[in-house]
């Protein structure tokens, strides 16, 4: 039994980032069809900065729509608004923000983290209780690592650590590559909303791309021909 290989990783799932939301009405109308069309595990709500009461009202408008579709709603930043708005968790920008937010989010809500510039920071995040780590998002100046560097980081993490890893994809090609590299989730956003065919077509295509990449990677690991010599 000792030489039995570990079970294959499940296929990656999509994590959909919203545009920056001011008036949630259009998104409220659009999300049900989007979430029904593809395998979306979670939605990252990016709120326009305003007063707390208004932001809570916006979370409350969108949380039931997302949750009814079987997905989780996470708020970008603002962990203090998560429970009051009925969201499922928060995405936090770095270790310091994660540490500060954990007491208010745990054990009932999700605490994800990005802004992890080094492998050491990533390991620290996993150790202190992050529910996932995100690699590849742009920094404050809009800079991000190369696609290859992000894929390598995902591969490293998937090989060694238990918490899920998320790849921040800015194109269909990156979504495919990050799924092939071992991402558990692929975060997609701007290129989905900007697609001239509409977000639904783009989301369905991204879902198919990550599932195909995963299936190809599995087939390469486990050739049907079995053991050779």
């Amino acid at each position: 039994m000792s030489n039995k290989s570990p079970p294959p990783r499940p296929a990656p799932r999509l994590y959909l980032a919203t545009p920056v939301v001011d008036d949630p009405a259009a998104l409220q109308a659009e999300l049900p069809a989007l979430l029904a069309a593809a395998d979306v595990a979670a939605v990252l709500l990016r709120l326009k900065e305003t007063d707390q009461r208004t932001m809570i009202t916006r979370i409350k408008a969108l949380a039931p729509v997302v949750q009814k579709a079987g997905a989780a709603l996470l708020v970008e930043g603002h962990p203090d608004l998560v429970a009051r708005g009925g969201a499922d968790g928060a995405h936090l920008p770095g270790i310091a923000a994660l540490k500060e937010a954990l007491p208010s989010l745990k054990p009932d809500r999700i605490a994800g983290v990005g802004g992890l510039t080094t492998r050491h920071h990533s390991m620290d995040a996993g150790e202190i209780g992050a529910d996932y780590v995100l690699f590849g998002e742009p920094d404050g100046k809009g800079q991000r690592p190369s696609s290859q560097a992000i894929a390598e980081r995902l591969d490293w993490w998937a090989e060694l650590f238990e918490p899920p890893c998320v790849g921040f994809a800015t194109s269909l090609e990156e979504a495919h590559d990050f799924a092939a590299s071992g991402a558990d989730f692929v975060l997609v956003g701007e290129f989905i909303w900007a697609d001239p065919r509409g977000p639904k077509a783009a989301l369905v295509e991204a879902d198919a791309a990550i599932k195909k990449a995963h299936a190809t990677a599995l087939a390469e690991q486990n050739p049907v021909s079995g053991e050779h010599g």
Side-chain angles (χ1 to χ4, degrees):
M1 294 295 284
S2 60
N3 64 357
K4 194 173 176 188
S5 59
R9 293 175 80 86
R13 302 184 68 197
L14 289 168
Y15 185 4
L16 176 64
T18 70
V20 175
V21 174
D22 188 358
D23 176 0
L27 198 57
Q28 208 176 5
E30 195 166 21
L31 274 174
L34 276 181
L35 299 179
D39 180 24
V40 178
V43 173
L44 179 63
L45 175 57
R46 303 170 66 220
L47 289 167
K48 185 174 181 185
E49 295 291 330
T50 180
D51 63 279
Q52 283 205 342
R53 181 178 292 183
T54 303
M55 288 197 284
I56 290 167
T57 302
R58 288 172 186 161
I59 298 168
K60 283 182 171 174
L62 294 168
V65 178
V66 173
Q67 292 157 349
K68 190 177 178 184
L73 181 75
L74 278 78
V75 180
E76 185 174 66
H78 306 293
D80 50 326
L81 306 184
V82 167
R84 290 151 72 192
D88 297 287
H91 175 76
L92 303 153
I95 292 283
L98 175 66
K99 282 181 178 168
E100 195 180 318
L102 279 172
S104 66
L105 293 171
K106 294 295 194 174
D108 300 323
R109 289 180 165 82
I110 299 163
V113 64
L116 304 168
T117 51
T118 67
R119 292 189 177 201
H120 183 71
H121 277 164
S122 313
M123 291 189 284
D124 282 351
E127 281 169 16
I128 64 175
D131 290 299
Y132 68 77
V133 292
L134 171 68
F135 299 127
E137 82 274 38
D139 63 17
K141 296 174 183 168
Q143 303 295 310
R144 64 196 288 265
S146 68
S147 294
Q148 187 181 350
I150 298 164
E152 285 169 2
R153 185 67 60 91
L154 289 163
D155 185 49
W156 162 77
W157 183 272
E159 198 70 30
L160 298 174
F161 302 101
E162 199 59 40
C165 57
V166 184
F168 184 108
T170 60
S171 66
L172 187 66
E173 292 72 28
E174 284 191 349
H176 177 280
D177 292 349
F178 296 165
S181 299
D184 298 283
F185 301 93
V186 177
L187 182 70
V188 295
E190 287 178 22
F191 80 93
I192 297 293
W193 302 104
D195 194 297
R197 300 167 302 168
K200 185 174 172 183
L203 200 62
V204 168
E205 192 173 52
D207 190 27
I210 66 174
K211 297 293 194 283
K212 183 180 177 184
H214 174 75
T216 304
L218 274 188
E220 285 169 359
Q221 285 168 15
N222 305 296
V224 180
S225 51
E227 291 150 22
H228 297 287

